[in-house]
Amino acid sequence: MSFFETLADRIESTDSVVSVGLDPDPSRLPDAVADADLPRWAFNRRIIDATHEHAACYKPNAAFYEDADGWRALEETIAYAHGKDVPVLLDAKRADIGNTTRRYAEALDRADAITVNPYLGRDSLQPFLDREEKGVFVLCRTSNPGGNDLQDLELASGEPLYERVAALADVWNGNGNVGLVVGATAPEELAEVREIVPEIPFLVPGVGAQGGDAEAAVEHGLADRPDTAVDVGLVNSSRGIIFAGEESSSPGDEATYFGAAGDAAKRLKKRLNRYR
């Protein structure tokens, strides 16, 4: 099965489009995992146990794993998520040229999908695109304020750069495995991109701690694809779920801390489902 077929099955079985971002910032990990052999893996395992019933996907960000113990923690995390029948999207924003990008694409040997940067053009993404069964999410209109610096630049054609990226992604989607990253903090642009690519699923970050528009994320982020029984797309929250325990009444209690993550994922699922 392709990634988007697998994702559609997961969305249908959990009644959820929630992507849980697994970004285990070492400076914020609770005491309950501090003495573990691999604290980031110990943290992620508990988060997965607490949230998997509400998660359509897990999205670990590679930046939180780029050391020897981190890569071990990431491998364990991906395997554990797969054991819960949850697909994994590696947020790596990779791309390069020649042999380098082919090596980057080997990250898909473990994960089910990956985020990529289109700035170097199609040849930098081809090794990812060639993996027909894997998902490839192309950065398009990101949720950070600085995204305006380049993504809003007007081309000679009169279109902003992010719209050209969306149109190119449609051209690159020969294997039906391309998605786009479009942030919920720019709901008007989210709607515009959806008009350009009606059948491409979006990964929509920014709904959690960044305060993005949940209604727009669902209305425009999910794609009606001819090969799936449900609309497909993902709305991501990272810190708002995995560190929800910091705001609990007893943050030092392990069950309370991780239970708060499960509650946060459930609340987000219900909130998003109001608009599906």
Side-chain angles (χ1 to χ4, degrees), residues 91 93 115-118 137-142 151 165 179-181:
D91 192 357
K93 301 179 180 68
T115 59
V116 296
N117 190 327
F137 284 86
V138 179
L139 296 179
C140 179
R141 181 64 175 89
T142 57
Q151 295 160 22
V165 170
L180 285 173
V181 180

Side-chain angles (χ1 to χ4, degrees), residues 49 83 128 180:
D49 285 341
F128 301 96
L180 285 173

Side-chain angles (χ1 to χ4, degrees), residues 114 140 249 266:
I114 196 168
C140 179
S249 58
K266 184 177 181 179

Side-chain angles (χ1 to χ4, degrees), residues 8-264:
D9 286 350
R10 181 69 189 176
I11 290 170
E12 187 171 22
S13 67
T14 58
D15 191 29
S16 176
V17 293
V18 173
S19 164
V20 178
L22 297 176
D23 302 348
D25 184 342
S27 69
R28 297 179 69 175
L29 298 185
D31 292 341
V33 302
D35 294 330
D37 179 46
L38 294 173
R40 282 166 287 186
W41 151 234
F43 178 79
N44 286 347
R45 179 171 62 80
R46 289 164 173 79
I47 292 291
I48 291 171
D49 285 341
T51 63
H52 70 90
E53 294 180 5
H54 313 297
C57 187
Y58 286 110
K59 186 183 72 66
N61 190 307
F64 292 92
Y65 302 92
E66 292 189 341
D67 57 76
D69 284 349
W71 287 119
R72 288 173 56 207
L74 180 60
E75 290 182 350
E76 295 288 354
T77 296
I78 292 174
Y80 196 69
H82 285 164
K84 299 289 189 181
D85 295 323
V86 188
V88 176
L89 163 58
L90 180 61
D91 192 357
K93 301 179 180 68
R94 296 290 197 254
D96 212 304
I97 58 174
N99 290 334
T100 307
T101 200
R102 286 192 285 274
R103 289 298 302 272
Y104 276 149
E106 290 178 5
L108 285 170
D109 290 342
R110 297 179 178 85
D112 306 292
I114 196 168
T115 59
V116 296
N117 190 327
Y119 197 77
L120 278 73
R122 179 167 186 159
D123 64 305
S124 70
L125 304 184
Q126 198 62 54
F128 301 96
L129 301 171
D130 286 344
R131 297 193 173 217
E132 299 180 22
E133 76 285 4
K134 303 292 188 176
V136 183
F137 284 86
V138 179
L139 296 179
C140 179
R141 181 64 175 89
T142 57
S143 59
N144 62 305
N148 299 340
D149 294 345
L150 293 177
Q151 295 160 22
D152 283 356
L153 291 178
E154 187 175 308
L155 304 180
S157 61
E159 64 186 330
L161 179 59
Y162 71 85
E163 289 189 3
R164 176 64 63 85
V165 170
L168 285 171
D170 205 27
V171 173
W172 298 337
N173 195 25
N175 289 324
N177 61 342
V178 171
L180 285 173
V181 180
V182 188
T185 54
E188 292 181 2
E189 288 91 338
L190 189 60
E192 291 168 1
V193 175
R194 174 53 69 209
E195 289 184 6
I196 297 169
V197 286
E199 295 182 0
I200 289 183
F202 295 172
L203 167 66
V204 186
V207 166
Q210 296 179 63
D213 189 323
E215 182 175 2
V218 174
E219 180 180 355
H220 305 301
L222 308 185
D224 181 6
R225 291 170 59 96
D227 58 340
T228 59
V230 297
D231 292 351
V232 180
L234 293 166
V235 180
N236 185 77
S237 176
S238 300
R239 290 166 291 168
I241 293 177
I242 65 173
F243 295 123
E246 293 178 343
E247 307 301 324
S248 65
S249 58
S250 301
D253 178 74
E254 181 174 348
T256 301
Y257 184 97
F258 291 104
D263 291 341

